[in-house]
Amino acid sequence: MKLLIDDANIEKIKKIYEYYAIDGVTTNPSIIAKNGKKPYETLKEIREFIGKEAELHVQVVSSTAEEMIKEGKKIVEELGENTYVKIPTVPEGLKAMKQLSKEGYKITATAIYTPIQAYLAAKAGADYAAPYVNRIDNLGTNGIEVTRKIHDIFENNGLKTQILAASFKNSLQVLELCEYGVGASTVAPDIIEGFINNPNISSAVEVFTEDFEGLCGKGKTMLNCD
Ligand code: E4P
């Protein structure tokens, strides 16, 4: 399962990239607005940092297929080839996906709440379909089950579309999808940091250090012991 960062704050992105193996960055209009800077300024800074090979997912804002297509083309022109045009999975969006995929653009079908939406997006040529796990949970339906169902629909129908699961509230949701082998998950920085924020792990490592220092002296490591 690929792991992407769902945020547009360059400092947070840099920090996560420093420690973890990350495959790219996803944004949406709300995430960009939260960052407070101009959209292309924010996105170009992210692109420059992650490099031209990494995935960057950027959402269109228009409401008609014709405008979504124009917006998608402009986004890729500005941010490079490995930029996925995120398009909401509504009727106008599906129309735009059909056209843009025919022209070879990379597409992420977003705002997916139901398996049938994902099926339609895959038929329209989307490379990724993004189910909103936690938002689905909040509707009283199981977001993990919906995502697994989408995975099975793609597999059982030979559809090439991958899942880019989104909208997570905790590590367990991510882990369950990793176990199921979905294509990718995009996760907020604080949740990624929480994956490994565990006092049991830290105290196990501290005991190793203490034992070693008991033998060789304070501050000694395998670099400078006898
Ligand atoms: C990604 O495609 C979505 O825009 C995002 O993950 C939604 O997350 P939220 O439900 O935490 O806003």
Side-chain angles (χ1 to χ4, degrees):
M1 183 179 81
K2 288 185 186 172
L3 181 63
L4 290 90
I5 301 173
D6 200 24
D7 207 297
N9 180 290
I10 193 69
E11 296 314 321
K12 288 185 183 172
I13 292 169
K14 282 183 180 171
K15 188 169 170 220
I16 297 293
Y17 258 78
E18 186 181 350
Y19 291 96
Y20 309 107
I22 298 292
D23 299 288
V25 172
T26 62
T27 63
N28 65 33
S30 307
I31 287 173
I32 290 178
K34 195 171 142 205
N35 195 45
K37 295 192 215 160
K38 289 183 178 149
Y40 282 111
E41 183 189 342
T42 298
L43 293 162
K44 283 182 181 176
E45 206 176 5
I46 296 172
R47 169 57 82 204
E48 197 181 320
F49 173 71
I50 65 177
K52 60 179 185 337
E53 304 300 331
E55 292 185 15
L56 178 60
H57 298 246
V58 180
Q59 193 165 327
V60 298
V61 186
S62 305
S63 55
T64 66
E66 287 66 30
E67 292 301 312
M68 287 176 183
I69 291 167
K70 284 188 207 155
E71 241 189 293
K73 290 181 178 179
K74 159 98 173 158
I75 286 168
V76 175
E77 195 183 300
E78 295 283 343
L79 299 163
E81 211 188 309
N82 277 325
T83 306
Y84 287 72
V85 182
K86 273 177 88 178
I87 304 179
T89 311
V90 295
E92 289 294 323
L94 288 162
K95 185 175 168 186
M97 286 178 211
K98 275 206 302 174
Q99 183 58 36
L100 282 173
S101 68
K102 228 182 268 168
E103 293 184 35
Y105 286 88
K106 292 177 176 163
I107 292 160
T108 299
T110 196
I112 291 187
Y113 286 76
T114 67
I116 199 77
Q117 259 183 304
Y119 165 73
L120 290 174
K123 293 283 288 170
D127 297 275
Y128 280 116
Y132 285 7
V133 176
N134 199 57
R135 294 196 198 191
I136 297 170
D137 279 356
N138 285 342
L139 294 174
T141 312
N142 188 320
I144 298 295
E145 272 173 25
V146 167
T147 306
R148 285 187 184 145
K149 198 174 261 194
I150 293 169
H151 180 87
D152 293 346
I153 288 169
F154 290 169
E155 292 238 318
N156 295 339
N157 289 279
L159 294 163
K160 66 164 182 58
T161 309
Q162 294 283 306
I163 286 175
L164 170 59
S167 180
F168 290 102
K169 189 187 65 182
N170 60 52
S171 308
L172 182 62
Q173 291 168 328
V174 182
L175 189 65
E176 289 199 41
L177 293 180
C178 187
E179 194 179 335
Y180 208 67
V182 306
S185 284
T186 185
V187 185
D190 59 329
I191 295 175
I192 296 178
E193 285 175 323
F195 286 171
I196 201 158
N197 185 2
N198 179 332
N200 291 301
I201 302 171
S202 326
S203 74
V205 176
E206 277 162 22
V207 169
F208 290 137
T209 307
E210 278 166 26
D211 289 346
F212 192 86
E213 287 183 334
L215 176 69
C216 299
K218 192 93 186 129
K220 294 287 184 184
T221 69
M222 290 302 287
L223 265 181
N224 54 14
C225 64
D226 298 326

